[in-house]
Amino acid sequence: MSLPKFQVALRGEALLAHPRFNKGTAFTASERKAFGLTGKLPYRINSLDEQCQRAYDQLQSQSTDIGKNSFLQSMKDQNWVLFYSLLTRHLRELIPIIYTPTEAEAIANYSHLFRRSEGLYLTFANRDSMEEDFLEATKGKSIDLFVSSDAEAILGIGDQGVGISAAKSVIYSLIGGIDPSKAIAVTLDVGTNNESLLNDPLYVGWPHERIRGKEYDDFVDKFVQLVRKYFPHSLLHFEDYGVTNAQRLLQRYRDTHAVFNDDIQGTGAVTLSTLMAAIGVTKSKLCDQRIIIYGAGSAGLGITKQLRDAMVSINNISVEEANAQFWLIDKHGLIRESLPDVREDLKEYVRKDAEWEECQSNGDIKLLDVVKKVKPTVMIGTSTHAGGFTQEVVEAMAAGCDRPIIFPLSNPSRLVEVDPRDANDWTKGKALLATGSPFPPAKMPNGKDYIIAECNNALIYPGLGFGSMISQSRIMTDTMIIAGARRLASLSPALKDPDDALLPDFGDAPSVNFEVAVAVAEQAIEEGSAGVDWKKEEVREKAKERLWQPIYGEYVYDKNGDK
């Protein structure tokens, strides 16, 4: 494979300090001479393999996961190629370190672990200079991806004020093949209602209660319009926005720009893929499933809408018919007519009180009540209610269907609705299982290991994004997402062996996401939302050409080159 060639304008210390171009001890003898590095580096020239071995040995000296996270963050600040190459070599081992679940701890301690800024910080207090700050951060860059967050609802740990969404951007490059120089993480700092942060003298964000209402909407809109004005073909990713804003912002902008909310659409898409694999095992239709969603926040509602839209698209039924297949439950029980202050975005799923008269004697209609009456085929947990799927609930579900499909998706693992090994035991190995965090295998009655599928957004959202970007799609349509989800489902090991995992191994995430990206781009071209003039049969080769890989290129000094 021929190495990429770069004309680089940096020399000496400036080159060594630039993570995009720094090679450390891998600079060749001719590069050291051309860029003034001979006296700034030790004599030995290392290969990338040797550098990765050294870095891995250093990583192993860290005794805690948060220590490993900090070490890898420091490496990313120094050398992108080495950072991504190390992760690629140890993908399954290190994803939980840089992403779920360890990243939650890193974000919760962001102000105390802070060493170096990265990305773009847009603060409400400095809103008058937003365009100037935006242009300063993006000057001379060709940005394909903005990963934005207001940090109100992070990874099950809630409001973190100024938590940067860099981990999502890393996954786009690591697994999706997106050039990290073309991506930027953006924090929209609108304050925080987290009292511990407001009272922390080391808190690095704006120490003010969260801005709401029109001021908030105007601030976010100003940012979105800057993205649309200066980078019209980019993808704008919304991450960790609170339940009152996430769906609303997605609906506001999805028809005017390529926007994507991973908490809503990514979670929905990977859950759709997993469910389609499961019904491939049970030989049933998507529209015939009776689905309980336990947890009606952004993730739960996003899953509901994604599954509902897929029923409409795939099974050719009406929206009303599809809505009737869902029973949503929150902390007040089943979402029904008599509940006060039902959110507007939940109203199309509200159940009539008359249907549940026999269950209302004790007030709220609980999960067990719904399971016994509905006899669900699918039960999905997004509640962060640890242990919410009790033995009584799971056994009641198993009594009502042959192969109960149970997805306890809450993160981190300590908040999961049921340990999948317990669900497997309580259903005597009949359950088809997937979780939101990694779990060890369960034992089947015959003694065989049952691999628990990890219903991790990272199996699909990088591919959804890459497919949208390479096709320069004007918008991210529901049909593009469904096309990606169906491609992922088609790769399920369970379709070959019903007792195998419902999703591909996470170690295969890069190749899986490439297939998703191809399906998304093909769909964009077919439906006319793409901005490129390609034929569908050209997509796979075009996508290969655009994949970024963590390898060192050959550098030539050019005072007018990259810097």
Side-chain angles (χ1 to χ4, degrees):
M1 181 177 64
S2 60
L3 296 177
K5 292 180 171 57
F6 298 97
Q7 282 72 45
V8 180
L10 302 171
R11 299 185 81 254
E13 294 289 351
L15 180 55
L16 294 175
H18 200 299
R20 178 185 176 189
F21 297 113
N22 181 27
K23 296 185 184 182
T25 56
F27 280 108
T28 65
S30 60
E31 287 173 335
R32 294 180 185 207
K33 184 174 182 179
F35 289 95
L37 300 174
T38 303
K40 298 183 183 299
L41 292 168
Y43 176 78
R44 175 74 184 271
I45 296 171
N46 288 124
S47 67
L48 181 55
D49 286 339
E50 291 170 335
Q51 287 184 312
C52 283
Q53 183 59 57
R54 178 189 296 125
Y56 186 73
D57 291 344
Q58 293 171 348
L59 179 68
Q60 296 310 301
S61 70
Q62 299 292 325
S63 60
T64 64
D65 286 348
I66 194 65
K68 292 178 179 179
N69 179 284
S70 294
F71 174 85
L72 291 169
Q73 178 64 40
S74 178
M75 180 182 294
K76 178 160 71 80
D77 291 341
Q78 299 172 55
N79 184 328
W80 286 353
V81 168
L82 179 55
F83 169 75
Y84 284 106
S85 187
L86 177 65
L87 293 179
T88 299
R89 285 163 164 78
H90 304 278
L91 191 63
R92 293 189 67 194
E93 175 187 354
L94 297 184
I95 281 288
I97 302 298
I98 64 161
Y99 193 51
T100 304
T102 310
E103 184 64 9
E105 184 179 354
I107 293 173
N109 292 284
Y110 183 72
S111 293
H112 291 260
L113 296 173
F114 186 86
R115 294 176 182 171
R116 178 177 174 175
S117 63
E118 60 177 325
L120 170 60
Y121 299 82
L122 299 176
T123 305
F124 186 82
N126 299 327
R127 58 194 179 281
D128 291 341
S129 64
M130 182 189 288
E131 185 164 11
E132 178 185 346
D133 298 336
F134 180 92
L135 292 175
E136 182 65 31
T138 59
K139 181 172 56 179
K141 298 179 180 179
S142 176
I143 305 295
D144 290 334
L145 171 67
F146 290 87
V147 182
S148 74
S149 177
D150 74 353
E152 186 175 6
I154 290 182
L155 294 167
I157 59 175
D159 185 348
Q160 299 301 316
V162 75
I164 194 79
S165 51
K168 270 304 197 242
S169 184
V170 165
I171 298 296
Y172 268 113
S173 296
L174 176 65
I175 292 175
I178 294 162
D179 185 341
S181 70
K182 297 180 181 295
I184 187 167
V186 183
T187 286
L188 299 181
D189 186 356
V190 294
T192 180
N193 292 337
N194 186 327
E195 289 294 329
S196 65
L197 294 178
L198 291 173
N199 294 324
D200 185 348
L202 295 182
Y203 177 56
V204 297
W206 182 43
H208 191 283
E209 65 181 24
R210 277 192 175 269
I211 299 299
R212 301 288 189 191
K214 187 176 185 303
E215 287 186 312
Y216 174 89
D217 288 350
D218 289 347
F219 181 75
V220 173
D221 187 63
K222 188 172 184 178
F223 162 66
V224 174
Q225 299 312 323
L226 289 173
V227 172
R228 295 186 63 207
K229 178 180 178 180
Y230 292 105
F231 299 94
H233 296 295
S234 65
L235 176 68
L236 174 54
H237 177 122
F238 291 116
E239 182 70 19
D240 295 325
Y241 286 77
V243 66
T244 59
N245 293 318
Q247 186 71 42
R248 191 172 57 82
L249 291 175
L250 178 63
Q251 293 304 320
R252 179 174 180 177
Y253 295 111
R254 65 178 308 178
D255 294 331
T256 58
H257 192 81
V259 298
F260 178 73
N261 185 305
D262 185 48
D263 303 300
I264 296 172
Q265 296 165 293
T267 302
V270 74
T271 306
L272 170 60
S273 296
T274 316
L275 181 53
M276 291 186 71
I279 64 175
V281 173
T282 61
K283 309 297 184 186
S284 55
K285 291 181 180 180
L286 185 60
C287 64
D288 291 335
Q289 308 310 308
R290 299 179 299 279
I291 303 173
I292 289 178
I293 305 292
Y294 188 63
S298 293
L301 184 60
I303 290 170
T304 302
K305 288 182 177 292
Q306 189 68 71
L307 300 184
R308 186 271 310 275
D309 291 345
M311 289 180 183
V312 173
S313 176
I314 296 170
N315 300 126
N316 196 30
I317 64 175
S318 70
V319 170
E320 292 73 23
E321 289 173 310
N323 284 343
Q325 300 304 112
F326 294 88
W327 288 261
L328 274 61
I329 299 173
D330 69 4
K331 61 184 178 181
H332 300 298
L334 180 68
I335 302 297
R336 63 192 193 283
E337 290 173 324
S338 59
L339 285 182
D341 302 322
V342 173
R343 295 199 322 264
E344 188 65 33
D345 54 7
L346 294 175
K347 288 187 176 177
E348 57 187 326
Y349 306 103
V350 168
R351 289 284 165 174
K352 295 184 181 301
D353 287 319
E355 300 172 3
W356 296 88
E357 289 179 350
E358 75 276 18
C359 301
Q360 295 190 58
S361 57
N362 296 321
D364 295 341
I365 299 172
K366 304 295 187 183
L367 174 61
L368 183 60
D369 298 321
V370 181
V371 169
K372 287 181 175 179
K373 182 176 176 67
V374 170
K375 293 182 171 52
T377 58
V378 181
M379 189 163 62
I380 298 172
T382 58
S383 66
T384 67
H385 176 198
F389 294 172
T390 64
Q391 182 172 355
E392 188 176 11
V393 165
V394 172
E395 288 179 345
M397 182 182 181
C401 64
D402 291 333
R403 297 297 303 268
I405 299 169
I406 303 175
F407 298 164
L409 301 182
S410 288
N411 282 316
S413 53
R414 60 183 172 81
L415 299 179
V416 73
E417 287 78 10
V418 64
D419 187 309
R421 291 165 295 186
D422 289 336
N424 181 72
D425 292 342
W426 297 337
T427 61
K428 298 179 172 56
K430 294 195 304 177
L432 296 166
L433 296 161
T435 56
S437 295
F439 276 87
K443 281 290 183 185
M444 299 291 283
N446 62 8
K448 179 182 175 182
D449 278 348
Y450 177 66
I451 304 300
I452 308 298
E454 186 182 350
C455 194
N456 190 319
N457 298 19
L459 278 173
I460 196 168
Y461 83 77
L464 295 174
F466 188 50
S468 173
M469 281 178 259
I470 61 172
S471 64
Q472 294 186 10
S473 180
R474 291 179 288 276
I475 56 175
M476 173 83 83
T477 65
D478 290 335
T479 45
M480 289 165 62
I481 295 172
I482 291 171
R486 296 185 78 170
R487 183 66 58 88
L488 173 57
S490 73
L491 302 174
S492 168
L495 298 180
K496 296 180 180 178
D497 178 356
D499 291 330
D500 209 337
L502 292 174
L503 289 173
D505 186 89
F506 203 83
D508 298 324
S511 60
V512 167
N513 272 281
F514 180 79
E515 292 300 321
V516 170
V518 170
V520 170
E522 288 175 342
Q523 179 64 31
I525 290 168
E526 181 176 316
E527 67 188 34
S529 60
V532 294
D533 186 21
W534 299 347
K535 297 178 181 177
K536 279 183 65 175
E537 54 269 26
E538 296 179 302
V539 169
R540 184 171 296 274
E541 286 305 313
K542 296 287 188 181
K544 285 180 181 178
E545 293 170 5
R546 285 157 176 77
L547 275 176
W548 181 82
Q549 298 181 55
I551 55 176
Y552 290 129
E554 295 179 359
Y555 294 173
V556 175
Y557 179 72
D558 182 345
K559 65 179 182 180
N560 297 316
D562 294 327
K563 57 184 178 180

